Amino acid sequence: MDEMDGLCVRGCTRCPALVESRSQIVNGTGPDDADLVFLGEAPGANEDSEGEPFVGRSGSVLDSALRDVGLARADVRITNCIRCRPAENRDPTKEELANCRGYLETELERVDPELVVTLGKVPSQHLLNRSVAVTKEAGTVEDVRIGERSFRVLISLHPAATLYDRSQEETFAEVIASAADVAGVGDSGSGQSNFGDF
Ligand code: URA
């Protein structure tokens, strides 16, 4: 893909509205051979100004859940379905998702993770290519064809869900623990899913 430099997109102008609303392209962060990749929807205002995914309040929730299983942000890769901030945090359009899809596929192919965790409805539906009831399906894992190959994908709530509804905190923590377990990273332990009890 011509506008890709390793795992980074440079100077893309495929989506005119996003070129207007972004101040920079927000590429994924973390190791280029991470076992665990987290996929969000799109950069928000904080991410747009700092040039890094999940650096606002949602990012703090994610960092804290990672810490609970012995992982640091630097141990995992974090990226988004689209790399430019949509105005007023609207959802990405189908066309914008499609325009950015090849970049994501190339990133996943090059990183070659054990597991991709979709954070919320938009990334879950984007990768699974079906309607997803995130609260019901959180913690489930399936093999999904993405580009030229298949990846294990685990559905998760968006970390912001815990900010709107405190009762989701435990679920989110368990999803992250399960993700670390499935990917074989962190200190969550046994290689068994933690999902038996909910
Ligand atoms: N929410 C997302 O989906 N992505 C980010 O990078 C930040 C918040």
Side-chain angles (χ1 to χ4, degrees):
M1 185 140 302
D2 50 355
E3 295 139 311
M4 210 131 175
D5 166 13
L7 300 176
C8 292
V9 177
R10 311 273 183 216
C12 180
T13 55
R14 290 179 189 187
C15 305
L18 295 179
V19 171
E20 281 295 308
S21 57
R22 77 180 181 209
S23 46
Q24 59 183 316
I25 294 173
V26 179
N27 285 298
T29 54
D32 60 8
D33 60 350
D35 287 326
L36 192 48
V37 171
F38 289 93
L39 179 67
E41 176 179 328
N46 295 300
E47 291 75 22
D48 180 66
S49 72
E50 292 193 34
E52 185 174 334
F54 284 97
V55 289
R57 289 177 72 205
S58 302
S60 305
V61 174
L62 179 59
D63 287 347
S64 146
L66 288 171
R67 265 197 309 276
D68 287 348
V69 295
L71 289 170
R73 164 178 283 256
D75 297 325
V76 302
R77 192 150 185 98
I78 307 178
T79 194
N80 279 306
C81 296
I82 67 165
R83 296 174 191 239
C84 301
R85 183 195 182 201
E88 277 130 39
N89 299 331
R90 63 165 172 78
D91 284 353
T93 65
K94 276 196 177 131
E95 194 184 359
E96 288 163 353
L97 287 166
N99 284 345
C100 226
R101 174 83 185 197
Y103 299 139
L104 177 61
E105 288 178 0
T106 300
E107 183 175 18
L108 292 178
E109 204 171 283
R110 291 183 179 164
V111 173
D112 190 23
E114 294 293 325
L115 183 70
V116 181
V117 179
T118 51
L119 296 170
K121 197 176 189 77
V122 168
S124 301
Q125 298 195 152
H126 187 51
L127 287 196
L128 273 53
N129 198 26
R130 64 172 173 83
S131 170
V132 175
V134 171
T135 337
K136 261 202 207 145
E137 298 186 53
T140 58
V141 181
E142 42 196 283
D143 290 324
V144 181
R145 183 110 199 140
I146 303 168
E148 294 299 306
R149 47 157 295 191
S150 174
F151 292 89
R152 298 191 92 188
V153 174
L154 185 148
I155 297 170
S156 171
L157 312 170
H158 194 282
T162 68
L163 300 170
Y164 302 121
D165 177 359
R166 300 295 293 267
S167 72
Q168 302 284 0
E169 279 175 6
E170 200 180 328
T171 308
F172 185 69
E174 294 214 43
V175 172
I176 299 306
S178 179
D181 228 16
V182 172
V185 296
D187 61 17
S188 67
S190 59
Q192 302 280 315
S193 165
N194 297 326
F195 262 86
D197 50 355
F198 69 91

